[in-house]
Structure formats: C-alpha cells, structure tokens
Amino acid sequence: SPGGRSMRGGDDTFDGGSGDPRAVPISHQEVSEMAAYYEVDETNECALLQLVREAVLCPLPWMYQEVLDRNGNPYFYNAVTDESQREHPLDEYWREKITDLRLSLHRAAHQQHQWQIFFTSNGLPTFYNFATKEESRDPPEGIGEEAIVAQMREDIASRQLQPLGRNPNMEAGSGEEDE
C-alpha cells in the first residue's frame, strides 16, 4: 500500500445532522497516493480514478487484520489460515480491475477513432475505417450529425493553422491568404 498505509474502509461518516446519506471522508491526497502506488497517471488516466478511490475506501477482507511489525511497517494477518503477508490482500484484485478497465477504455477509444470522416469536393461526408479498410457513404453506428459537423469545424480550423506564424507581408483582409 502507498507509504506503508493500508487501504481503509469503515463507517466513519458524517451526515451533517441532516439524516441524509453520510459522506465518507476521503481526500484527493489519498487518491493521488493510491494512484501512484497502482501506477495510474492521474493526469492522463482520469477515468481510472474512481476505481482508485474505491481501492482507498475498500475495507480489509473480514479474515484479515492489519498488524505493525517492530519497525512500524504494516503486514496483514489472516486469522483463518494463520498466515501473514506484507502485500495488502486486495492488491492483486485492484491491480487486475485497474488493468481491465484500462484495457477496456483503450479498446473503446481505439474503436471510436477507427472510423474517420472525410469530405468529397462537393462537401458530402464519407467514412473510412483505417482498421478494416472499409469505406462507406453511410455513417457507421455511433457517428451522427454532431460528429460530422464537429469534423467540418476541425478541418476548417486546421486549414487556418499557421504554426510558424502568419506572413507579416500579407495585409489583413486582402484575401490573398485564403487562396
């Protein structure tokens, strides 16, 4: 576990006196530490952070007890098997869940970007799947009018990019830039 800390769980909650469902105290630092422990890039893998948060809050399995050795380092005692271990009993479980979700998100993103939208010289959209080499005049499942318009806007913006700066010799509004 991160920094020698165990994952935690329990019922230390606060309802603010309202009787509403109780908030479970958790800080972003705890999630950041656990994300680092499980090698989740919190900047680029935000979709995994809810799972990391669950790992922070998840209680120890009922048969385990966290114990500290003479040096204050945690280990986990299993009362059923009478065995002790250094690794948190749920580490493998959470690593597997994080890996599975990461792969699922990667596949979904890959599928989302397989189909690309192109436009003919008369402005009609066509669709091409780079993975299957399939071409279609009909929008594939999941690509609607919004996506087509968004692609048009992105293409227009791309045509106006000047990564090295605009020509200072061109007069604004002369129309020569657009040709």
Coordinates of all heavy atoms in Angstrom, one line a residue, residues 11-16 20-26:
D11 N -17.0 2.8 8.8 CA -18.2 3.6 8.8 C -18.0 5.0 9.5 O -18.9 5.5 10.1 CB -19.4 2.8 9.5 CG -19.0 2.4 10.9 OD1 -17.9 2.7 11.4 OD2 -19.9 1.7 11.5
D12 N -16.8 5.5 9.4 CA -16.5 6.8 10.0 C -17.1 7.9 9.1 O -16.4 8.5 8.2 CB -15.1 7.0 10.3 CG -14.2 6.8 9.0 OD1 -14.6 6.1 8.1 OD2 -13.1 7.3 9.0
T13 N -18.4 8.1 9.1 CA -19.1 9.0 8.2 C -19.7 10.2 8.9 O -19.8 10.2 10.1 CB -20.2 8.3 7.4 OG1 -21.1 7.7 8.4 CG2 -19.6 7.2 6.6
F14 N -20.1 11.2 8.1 CA -20.6 12.5 8.7 C -21.9 12.8 7.9 O -21.9 12.8 6.7 CB -19.6 13.6 8.5 CG -20.1 14.9 8.8 CD1 -20.3 15.3 10.1 CD2 -20.4 15.8 7.8 CE1 -20.8 16.5 10.4 CE2 -20.8 17.1 8.1 CZ -21.1 17.5 9.4
D15 N -23.0 13.0 8.6 CA -24.2 13.3 7.9 C -24.6 14.8 8.1 O -25.6 15.2 7.6 CB -25.3 12.4 8.3 CG -25.8 12.6 9.7 OD1 -25.3 13.5 10.4 OD2 -26.8 11.9 10.2
G16 N -23.8 15.6 8.8 CA -24.1 17.0 8.9 C -25.4 17.2 9.7 O -25.9 18.3 9.6
D20 N -29.4 12.7 6.0 CA -29.1 12.3 4.6 C -28.0 11.2 4.6 O -27.3 11.0 5.6 CB -28.7 13.5 3.8 CG -29.8 14.5 3.5 OD1 -31.0 14.0 3.5 OD2 -29.6 15.7 3.3
P21 N -27.8 10.6 3.4 CA -26.7 9.6 3.4 C -25.5 10.3 3.8 O -25.2 11.5 3.5 CB -26.7 9.3 1.9 CG -28.0 9.6 1.4 CD -28.5 10.7 2.2
R22 N -24.7 9.6 4.5 CA -23.5 10.1 5.1 C -22.3 10.2 4.2 O -22.1 9.3 3.4 CB -23.1 9.3 6.3 CG -24.1 9.3 7.4 CD -23.7 8.4 8.5 NE -24.7 8.5 9.6 CZ -24.4 8.3 10.9 NH1 -23.2 8.0 11.2 NH2 -25.4 8.5 11.8
A23 N -21.6 11.3 4.2 CA -20.4 11.5 3.4 C -19.3 10.7 4.0 O -19.1 10.7 5.2 CB -20.0 13.0 3.3
V24 N -18.5 10.0 3.2 CA -17.3 9.3 3.7 C -16.1 10.2 3.5 O -15.8 10.6 2.4 CB -17.2 8.0 2.8 CG1 -15.9 7.2 3.3 CG2 -18.4 7.1 3.0
P25 N -15.4 10.5 4.6 CA -14.2 11.3 4.4 C -13.1 10.7 3.6 O -12.8 9.6 3.9 CB -13.8 11.6 5.9 CG -14.5 10.6 6.7 CD -15.6 10.0 5.9
I26 N -12.7 11.4 2.6 CA -11.6 11.0 1.7 C -11.0 12.2 1.1 O -11.7 13.2 0.9 CB -12.1 10.0 0.7 CG1 -10.9 9.5 -0.2 CG2 -13.1 10.6 -0.2 CD1 -11.2 8.4 -1.1

